[in-house]
Amino acid sequence: MRDERVVLNRLKLDQQRKMLLRRGEVPTRSVSLEPAKPLSFSPFGISGAPSQDTTPLLSDEAAGAVLGIPAPQRVSMLGHNGFRSVARNSKWNYRGYTIIDNREVQHESGIERNAVAVFRTWHYVKEIYSQRPRVEYADGDGVIHDYVFDYLLILNDDTRVAVSVKAERARAEEKALLEHIVSVPQSEFDNVFLMTDGIATRAAAFNARLILWARDLVTEAVVDQAREMVRQSGSKFFFWQLFDNGIPHHLRRAAIVRLIDLGEIAPTEPHKRIRDYSLLEKVDDHAHVRTWAKAAQTQDGHKSTTTS
């Protein structure tokens, strides 16, 4: 059986199915399970005498009970529970979703996709929701409009941060709109943050996915080995110098990235992609401090917008 590329066009789909049938294969999307039918003869009988007894295949639960293996727990994926769902208008865009804590987090642009990756690396972010919250605001003519934020971040201290993701060229216009929205007290969020592709760059998204990869891969023992290499190094060193004899290894690479994630070391050029030839330096303060989090403070009793 071969996994073929899914084609939405019905004619092309039929052509693919016929092509697979000619090759003697079964199309992946047309497989249907049927109950086992009793055999008309015994495959093990020498004389081919009819056999009425057939042994059905055991289900996963029954097989687990026989072998003493607990049955697998099937957990269904949670929806994003937003006020709207993104639509797939073109196969050339980035509309889709990311699974975070068994929850669907949607994105409808490359900027949002990069922003979600960056959000996941922030240690003070506990939960991420897409397409919420929804608020109402009045324009200059008094007409009421609905505004749905792209994301809602729940921080470790339960602070709710509504995030709007826009292109850098639309920063001024979106910032003015957000300031108009927060001029009226809102109960759906505590702070507002404007994320642009000036922050969620391709390099930032690359580094974020590298950090997420390292979190899932390394163990504390491997991290301690890299930490010892850092201790024996000077104040600044290249990434590759932390390898054993300069020979790259994926576990050591993940451990070094994990140290960057923990804030013990940092690249001297944080706006570039982390490579084996990146120059790193030791960091005395391991705490992560974000300028936007410090700037997200109330002013004159109203919630402020943060842009960096």
Side-chain angles (χ1 to χ4, degrees):
M1 184 180 300
R2 179 177 302 177
D3 293 334
E4 297 291 339
R5 182 173 61 93
V6 177
V7 180
L8 299 180
N9 185 283
R10 175 62 61 180
L11 179 60
K12 297 293 291 184
L13 188 62
D14 292 338
Q15 292 177 353
Q16 280 190 347
R17 182 179 293 107
K18 293 178 181 179
M19 178 184 64
L20 292 175
L21 291 175
R22 286 195 301 267
R23 294 196 309 220
E25 301 180 3
V26 180
T28 304
R29 300 181 66 88
S30 63
V31 173
S32 59
L33 299 179
E34 298 180 355
K37 298 180 180 180
L39 297 176
S40 60
F41 65 94
S42 174
F44 303 102
I46 299 177
S47 61
S51 174
Q52 301 296 332
D53 298 332
T54 58
T55 303
L57 295 177
L58 295 178
S59 62
D60 292 342
E61 292 77 6
V66 172
L67 299 176
I69 303 175
Q73 297 182 356
R74 295 178 175 85
V75 180
S76 59
M77 184 182 65
L78 302 177
H80 74 120
N81 297 326
F83 289 98
R84 58 179 292 268
S85 295
V86 299
R88 182 183 177 185
N89 295 336
S90 173
K91 63 181 180 180
W92 303 111
N93 57 24
Y94 286 86
R95 303 194 176 194
Y97 59 87
T98 302
I99 304 301
I100 304 176
D101 296 332
N102 201 39
R103 183 187 299 110
E104 177 182 321
V105 177
Q106 297 184 354
H107 51 77
E108 54 184 340
S109 67
I111 304 176
E112 292 187 7
R113 182 174 178 235
N114 294 341
V116 170
V118 174
F119 293 154
R120 297 179 65 187
T121 62
W122 292 353
H123 293 271
Y124 41 81
V125 174
K126 181 172 57 175
E127 298 177 8
I128 304 175
Y129 296 90
S130 58
Q131 301 304 318
R132 59 187 313 181
R134 181 175 62 186
V135 297
E136 294 183 349
Y137 70 96
D139 58 11
D141 299 329
V143 180
I144 303 299
H145 299 274
D146 288 339
Y147 185 91
V148 178
F149 285 88
D150 296 305
Y151 298 101
L152 176 65
L153 306 182
I154 307 298
L155 307 187
N156 293 331
D157 58 357
D158 293 330
T159 301
R160 301 166 301 172
V161 181
V163 181
S164 175
V165 181
K166 297 295 180 183
E168 184 66 28
R169 61 180 179 272
R171 170 190 288 272
E173 180 181 356
E174 185 68 15
K175 181 180 178 181
L177 177 59
L178 295 179
E179 290 177 347
H180 177 68
I181 292 176
V182 300
S183 62
V184 179
Q186 302 288 343
S187 61
E188 299 296 329
F189 55 85
D190 301 311
N191 288 310
V192 174
F193 176 53
L194 176 58
M195 171 70 86
T196 67
D197 53 354
I199 304 174
T201 61
R202 291 185 177 181
F206 175 88
N207 296 338
R209 297 185 181 97
L210 190 64
I211 289 175
L212 295 175
W213 165 77
R215 288 180 182 178
D216 295 336
L217 184 64
V218 297
T219 61
E220 190 61 30
V222 179
V223 175
D224 289 338
Q225 294 176 0
R227 187 177 288 115
E228 179 63 22
M229 294 290 294
V230 172
R231 189 187 65 82
Q232 298 176 4
S233 303
S235 59
K236 292 186 178 182
F237 43 87
F238 289 99
F239 192 106
W240 61 267
Q241 290 180 307
L242 299 181
F243 292 128
D244 291 335
N245 299 323
I247 302 176
H249 190 273
H250 68 283
L251 284 179
R252 177 59 59 82
R253 178 180 289 106
I256 300 171
V257 174
R258 180 58 176 160
L259 292 179
I260 297 176
D261 180 30
L262 295 174
E264 300 183 23
I265 57 178
T268 57
E269 297 177 315
H271 300 294
K272 294 185 178 181
R273 297 191 178 194
I274 299 175
R275 301 290 192 182
D276 289 353
Y277 47 82
S278 298
L279 183 62
L280 307 177
E281 61 182 353
K282 296 181 180 179
V283 179
D284 295 332
D285 185 9
H286 295 173
H288 286 251
V289 179
R290 301 286 179 179
T291 56
W292 70 267
K294 296 176 61 178
Q297 301 173 352
T298 56
Q299 299 178 354
D300 299 332
H302 299 298
K303 301 175 181 62
S304 63
T305 58
T306 312
T307 59
S308 62

